[in-house]
Amino acid sequence: MKTSAFIIFLTIVILVYGLTNYYIYSRAIQAVPSGHSYRLWFTVIFWILVFAYVLARILEKACPCDFTEIVTWIGSFWLGIMAYAFFTVLIIDIARLGNHFFHFFPASFYADYQKTKFIILLVSSGIIVLIVTAGFINARITRIKNVEIEINKKVPGDKSIKIVMVSDIHMGTLIAKHMTNNLVEKIIKLKPDLVLFAGDIVDEDLAPVIRRNLGEMLTKITAKYGVYGITGNHEYIGGVEPAVKYLREHGIHMLRDTAVLVDDVFYIVGRDDRDKPRFTGRERKPLSDIMANVDRSYPVILMDHQPFNLSKTVEQGVDLQLSGHTHHGQLWPFNYITKAIYELSWGYKKIGETHFYVSSGFGSWGPPIRLGNRPEIVVIRVRFR
């Protein structure tokens, strides 16, 4: 990414983050009675939580240690709390505005207005904590999503294969040993013929992955036709070459704008992430170039992390495309945004003769919570003619 573009992007992110938190604080502090010592404590704790995530991002590079991981967890949880605190305050302000014109609040609401505001603050805070807690538990319960498709092509040998596909693991500080081991054990129990990792295998910074030796767990995964992966945008954010090298050293065949014929049965095509130009200044290969020497009489499976331009996949005669990236919004109601951006935000769709599956992902980015969707491992049973 060019320096000027990065500075503009970073400035916008900081402004949005800062203004959102200030909006929450300016409304919440009104509910804390003045003249009490806990008003000061509220202010101090609030802004410590706000700056925790920013501090964690700095410390990840400068000091990868236990303290940094603690700060990262605190800051990441705050992101989830911030999102639902913003929605809560916004709803309250809309209600206040409506009451200004239509006077639907009862008179008792204003009998002791300071007490009423304080009760609303306590109740709202309790509800937000419950929501975030539920989201954290939900993010730790992985479901197995089963999909069955038929590709109308003849192949030698087996007339069906079991593919296990996982996207958006985000291995790092938040998706560490417990979650990675959980993922590996589930994949092994599924006894797949082929394992595909559809991008964002690591979460930006490689240091916590190396520090916890998470790659060693991945080496336990085996499959008849192999284990393949592609880059996602997060591999590029954290440094794509070290990430790819690390993953290759730990048993994953990383495909970068290439196509491979596997055991003379089917092709796997792996694309570099579409954000590659932002971070390297180099374009990824057009799909037509990658497919130029692919014999389309064989089944063709494509991995492309971000599910854009599905029509181009159809035009190239791909039989199955697997993607991730969207997290299906990760936090409700952001799934409505991803639905508006992507032709397919999550799940299965068939266009022409091409099957598509976009996974909600295994891990999480930012807040370690999920609401309105579930983390998943996708099992695709492909039958051939």
Side-chain angles (χ1 to χ4, degrees):
M1 185 184 293
K2 293 181 179 178
T3 304
S4 58
F6 176 75
I7 292 173
I8 292 170
F9 173 76
L10 186 62
T11 301
I12 292 171
V13 169
I14 292 173
L15 278 173
V16 171
Y17 184 71
L19 290 172
T20 300
N21 280 289
Y22 180 74
Y23 172 61
I24 297 167
Y25 172 78
S26 65
R27 291 294 184 266
I29 197 66
Q30 293 175 18
V32 182
S34 58
H36 289 275
S37 60
Y38 47 77
R39 188 179 177 94
L40 174 62
W41 281 109
F42 177 86
T43 300
V44 171
I45 292 172
F46 182 93
W47 289 107
I48 286 175
L49 293 172
V50 170
F51 285 106
Y53 190 73
V54 178
L55 178 62
R57 299 310 299 267
I58 296 170
L59 290 176
E60 275 182 342
K61 298 289 186 183
C63 178
C65 58
D66 290 341
F67 174 74
T68 298
E69 292 189 1
I70 292 170
V71 175
T72 300
W73 274 98
I74 293 170
S76 298
F77 268 114
W78 176 253
L79 293 180
I81 293 170
M82 179 191 74
Y84 289 105
F86 172 79
F87 292 135
T88 301
V89 173
L90 184 62
I91 291 168
I92 291 171
D93 276 354
I94 291 171
R96 289 171 60 197
L97 181 63
N99 183 70
H100 177 76
F101 293 103
F102 302 105
H103 309 290
F104 48 76
F105 288 167
S108 59
F109 190 86
Y110 294 101
D112 187 343
Y113 192 40
Q114 184 60 59
K115 183 179 179 181
T116 299
K117 290 191 291 184
F118 188 62
I119 291 172
I120 291 173
L121 173 64
L122 292 178
V123 172
S124 299
S125 299
I127 292 172
I128 291 168
V129 169
L130 287 175
I131 289 172
V132 171
T133 301
F136 176 71
I137 294 170
N138 181 53
R140 259 51 191 170
I141 303 174
T142 307
R143 71 171 173 183
I144 306 298
K145 176 67 175 179
N146 290 287
V147 179
E148 292 189 6
I149 68 169
E150 185 171 332
I151 295 176
N152 191 28
K153 292 181 178 178
K154 290 183 178 180
V155 298
D158 297 335
K159 298 304 178 184
S160 67
I161 62 170
K162 181 195 284 188
I163 301 172
V164 169
M165 173 264 202
V166 185
S167 75
D168 303 276
I169 303 170
H170 292 280
M171 289 193 308
T173 300
L174 302 184
I175 306 298
K177 282 190 174 181
H178 174 72
M179 287 293 288
T180 303
N181 188 60
N182 180 38
L183 169 66
V184 170
E185 287 184 350
K186 288 182 183 298
I187 292 175
I188 292 172
K189 287 180 182 178
L190 288 167
K191 298 179 179 179
D193 298 312
L194 174 66
V195 177
L196 300 176
F197 292 115
D200 282 1
I201 303 168
V202 299
D203 187 35
E204 302 176 17
D205 190 9
L206 199 57
V209 178
I210 296 172
R211 182 168 176 262
R212 292 179 175 269
N213 197 22
L214 301 183
E216 186 64 27
M217 299 181 190
L218 298 179
T219 62
K220 299 176 184 177
I221 301 172
T222 59
K224 176 180 178 180
Y225 294 113
V227 181
Y228 294 85
I230 58 169
T231 58
N233 56 309
H234 280 255
E235 276 82 20
Y236 278 94
I237 293 170
V240 67
E241 300 306 332
V244 168
K245 181 176 181 290
Y246 181 84
L247 294 170
R248 282 175 173 162
E249 288 172 348
H250 290 86
I252 300 177
H253 302 285
M254 297 296 291
L255 301 178
R256 305 191 62 189
D257 282 345
T258 55
V260 294
L261 179 60
V262 180
D263 286 7
D264 202 38
V265 177
F266 53 83
Y267 279 94
I268 301 177
V269 180
R271 300 199 71 185
D272 267 339
D273 187 70
R274 77 190 302 265
D275 281 350
K276 178 180 179 178
R278 290 175 53 201
F279 295 95
T280 67
R282 301 189 305 274
E283 295 291 334
R284 65 175 183 169
K285 286 183 183 178
L287 182 57
S288 57
D289 288 0
I290 304 171
M291 293 284 291
N293 296 315
V294 170
D295 183 350
R296 288 166 178 77
S297 66
Y298 289 89
V300 180
I301 301 168
L302 167 67
M303 286 192 289
D304 193 356
H305 180 63
Q306 301 189 41
F308 285 103
N309 302 316
L310 304 189
S311 60
K312 291 185 178 180
T313 301
V314 177
E315 290 170 5
Q316 290 300 319
V318 171
D319 297 295
L320 170 63
Q321 175 175 318
L322 301 174
S323 302
H325 182 67
T326 69
H327 292 220
H328 197 39
Q330 187 168 319
L331 304 181
W332 182 91
F334 295 118
N335 54 302
Y336 293 107
I337 296 175
T338 58
K339 283 181 179 180
I341 293 173
Y342 301 97
E343 185 176 348
L344 182 61
S345 172
W346 168 72
Y348 170 81
K349 185 173 186 175
K350 187 178 182 183
I351 304 174
E353 294 301 314
T354 305
H355 303 270
F356 293 89
Y357 193 89
V358 177
S359 176
S360 58
F362 174 82
S364 58
W365 179 83
I369 65 176
R370 279 181 177 265
L371 287 164
N373 59 81
R374 294 273 300 279
E376 65 181 15
I377 297 171
V378 186
V379 178
I380 305 171
R381 291 175 173 84
V382 183
R383 296 190 307 274
F384 302 110
R385 180 163 58 88

